[in-house]
mmCIF file of all heavy atoms in Angstrom:
data_model
loop_
_atom_site.group_PDB
_atom_site.id
_atom_site.type_symbol
_atom_site.label_atom_id
_atom_site.label_comp_id
_atom_site.label_asym_id
_atom_site.label_seq_id
_atom_site.Cartn_x
_atom_site.Cartn_y
_atom_site.Cartn_z
ATOM 1 N N GLN A 242 121.802 89.727 42.592
ATOM 2 C CA GLN A 242 122.299 89.904 41.241
ATOM 3 C C GLN A 242 123.681 89.281 41.058
ATOM 4 O O GLN A 242 124.587 89.541 41.871
ATOM 5 C CB GLN A 242 122.471 91.420 40.943
ATOM 6 C CG GLN A 242 121.181 92.176 40.910
ATOM 7 C CD GLN A 242 121.397 93.654 40.679
ATOM 8 O OE1 GLN A 242 122.218 94.253 41.368
ATOM 9 N NE2 GLN A 242 120.719 94.229 39.706
ATOM 10 N N GLY A 243 123.824 88.486 40.030
ATOM 11 C CA GLY A 243 125.129 88.118 39.511
ATOM 12 C C GLY A 243 125.581 89.279 38.639
ATOM 13 O O GLY A 243 124.705 89.918 37.955
ATOM 14 N N LYS A 244 126.849 89.617 38.600
ATOM 15 C CA LYS A 244 127.337 90.759 37.807
ATOM 16 C C LYS A 244 128.555 90.314 36.993
ATOM 17 O O LYS A 244 129.491 89.757 37.559
ATOM 18 C CB LYS A 244 127.709 91.943 38.702
ATOM 19 C CG LYS A 244 126.545 92.488 39.484
ATOM 20 C CD LYS A 244 126.966 93.628 40.419
ATOM 21 C CE LYS A 244 125.779 94.154 41.185
ATOM 22 N NZ LYS A 244 126.175 95.175 42.137
ATOM 23 N N LEU A 245 128.507 90.630 35.710
ATOM 24 C CA LEU A 245 129.680 90.460 34.830
ATOM 25 C C LEU A 245 130.179 91.873 34.571
ATOM 26 O O LEU A 245 129.497 92.687 33.912
ATOM 27 C CB LEU A 245 129.311 89.797 33.548
ATOM 28 C CG LEU A 245 130.459 89.526 32.571
ATOM 29 C CD1 LEU A 245 131.570 88.670 33.200
ATOM 30 C CD2 LEU A 245 129.950 88.896 31.277
ATOM 31 N N VAL A 246 131.338 92.205 35.096
ATOM 32 C CA VAL A 246 131.783 93.613 35.124
ATOM 33 C C VAL A 246 133.067 93.798 34.261
ATOM 34 O O VAL A 246 133.882 92.907 34.180
ATOM 35 C CB VAL A 246 132.034 94.113 36.560
ATOM 36 C CG1 VAL A 246 130.793 93.990 37.398
ATOM 37 C CG2 VAL A 246 133.162 93.370 37.243
ATOM 38 N N ARG A 247 133.155 95.000 33.682
ATOM 39 C CA ARG A 247 134.356 95.352 32.902
ATOM 40 C C ARG A 247 134.490 96.845 32.808
ATOM 41 O O ARG A 247 133.547 97.605 33.065
ATOM 42 C CB ARG A 247 134.380 94.713 31.539
ATOM 43 C CG ARG A 247 133.313 95.224 30.576
ATOM 44 C CD ARG A 247 133.269 94.382 29.309
ATOM 45 N NE ARG A 247 132.283 94.824 28.391
ATOM 46 C CZ ARG A 247 132.510 95.344 27.206
ATOM 47 N NH1 ARG A 247 133.765 95.484 26.797
ATOM 48 N NH2 ARG A 247 131.543 95.704 26.412
ATOM 49 N N VAL A 248 135.673 97.283 32.395
ATOM 50 C CA VAL A 248 135.976 98.721 32.272
ATOM 51 C C VAL A 248 136.227 99.011 30.805
ATOM 52 O O VAL A 248 137.025 98.259 30.144
ATOM 53 C CB VAL A 248 137.201 99.096 33.136
ATOM 54 C CG1 VAL A 248 137.665 100.503 32.853
ATOM 55 C CG2 VAL A 248 136.875 98.924 34.615
ATOM 56 N N ILE A 249 135.653 100.061 30.247
ATOM 57 C CA ILE A 249 135.870 100.438 28.845
ATOM 58 C C ILE A 249 136.727 101.671 28.679
ATOM 59 O O ILE A 249 137.190 102.012 27.591
ATOM 60 C CB ILE A 249 134.575 100.545 28.033
ATOM 61 C CG1 ILE A 249 133.685 101.654 28.600
ATOM 62 C CG2 ILE A 249 133.861 99.187 28.018
ATOM 63 C CD1 ILE A 249 132.554 102.050 27.679
ATOM 64 N N ALA A 250 136.931 102.408 29.766
ATOM 65 C CA ALA A 250 137.845 103.567 29.744
ATOM 66 C C ALA A 250 138.414 103.718 31.163
ATOM 67 O O ALA A 250 137.674 103.675 32.144
ATOM 68 C CB ALA A 250 137.075 104.847 29.363
ATOM 69 N N GLY A 251 139.736 103.838 31.234
ATOM 70 C CA GLY A 251 140.371 104.020 32.550
ATOM 71 C C GLY A 251 140.655 102.713 33.232
ATOM 72 O O GLY A 251 140.813 101.636 32.586
ATOM 73 N N GLU A 252 140.751 102.777 34.597
ATOM 74 C CA GLU A 252 141.138 101.637 35.383
ATOM 75 C C GLU A 252 140.472 101.704 36.776
ATOM 76 O O GLU A 252 140.332 102.754 37.342
ATOM 77 C CB GLU A 252 142.660 101.638 35.556
ATOM 78 C CG GLU A 252 143.214 100.507 36.406
ATOM 79 C CD GLU A 252 144.696 100.597 36.552
ATOM 80 O OE1 GLU A 252 145.408 100.210 35.598
ATOM 81 O OE2 GLU A 252 145.171 101.041 37.611
ATOM 82 N N VAL A 253 140.091 100.522 37.271
ATOM 83 C CA VAL A 253 139.543 100.403 38.589
ATOM 84 C C VAL A 253 140.171 99.216 39.325
ATOM 85 O O VAL A 253 140.706 98.335 38.660
ATOM 86 C CB VAL A 253 137.987 100.226 38.618
ATOM 87 C CG1 VAL A 253 137.320 101.314 37.818
ATOM 88 C CG2 VAL A 253 137.565 98.844 38.126
ATOM 89 N N PHE A 254 140.088 99.215 40.635
ATOM 90 C CA PHE A 254 140.337 98.048 41.461
ATOM 91 C C PHE A 254 138.977 97.508 41.833
ATOM 92 O O PHE A 254 138.234 98.208 42.569
ATOM 93 C CB PHE A 254 141.190 98.366 42.648
ATOM 94 C CG PHE A 254 141.566 97.174 43.471
ATOM 95 C CD1 PHE A 254 142.441 96.215 42.996
ATOM 96 C CD2 PHE A 254 141.000 96.999 44.747
ATOM 97 C CE1 PHE A 254 142.774 95.087 43.745
ATOM 98 C CE2 PHE A 254 141.357 95.869 45.506
ATOM 99 C CZ PHE A 254 142.219 94.921 45.016
ATOM 100 N N ASP A 255 138.621 96.343 41.387
ATOM 101 C CA ASP A 255 137.291 95.742 41.574
ATOM 102 C C ASP A 255 137.331 94.667 42.643
ATOM 103 O O ASP A 255 138.283 93.871 42.688
ATOM 104 C CB ASP A 255 136.865 95.157 40.210
ATOM 105 C CG ASP A 255 135.374 94.863 40.205
ATOM 106 O OD1 ASP A 255 134.592 95.860 40.216
ATOM 107 O OD2 ASP A 255 134.991 93.695 40.123
ATOM 108 N N VAL A 256 136.295 94.618 43.479
ATOM 109 C CA VAL A 256 136.282 93.732 44.626
ATOM 110 C C VAL A 256 134.950 92.982 44.727
ATOM 111 O O VAL A 256 133.875 93.558 44.518
ATOM 112 C CB VAL A 256 136.496 94.547 45.945
ATOM 113 C CG1 VAL A 256 136.332 93.660 47.137
ATOM 114 C CG2 VAL A 256 137.875 95.180 45.896
ATOM 115 N N ALA A 257 135.026 91.683 45.129
ATOM 116 C CA ALA A 257 133.868 90.898 45.463
ATOM 117 C C ALA A 257 134.087 90.289 46.851
ATOM 118 O O ALA A 257 135.177 89.806 47.163
ATOM 119 C CB ALA A 257 133.659 89.755 44.454
ATOM 120 N N VAL A 258 133.039 90.396 47.737
ATOM 121 C CA VAL A 258 133.094 89.881 49.066
ATOM 122 C C VAL A 258 132.015 88.823 49.222
ATOM 123 O O VAL A 258 130.832 89.094 48.963
ATOM 124 C CB VAL A 258 132.843 91.003 50.125
ATOM 125 C CG1 VAL A 258 132.880 90.411 51.537
ATOM 126 C CG2 VAL A 258 133.885 92.088 49.933
#
Side-chain angles (χ1 to χ4, degrees):
Q242 294 177 310
K244 297 177 181 177
L245 181 60
V246 302
R247 67 188 179 114
V248 172
I249 62 166
E252 179 181 282
V253 307
F254 182 70
D255 195 67
V256 173
V258 179

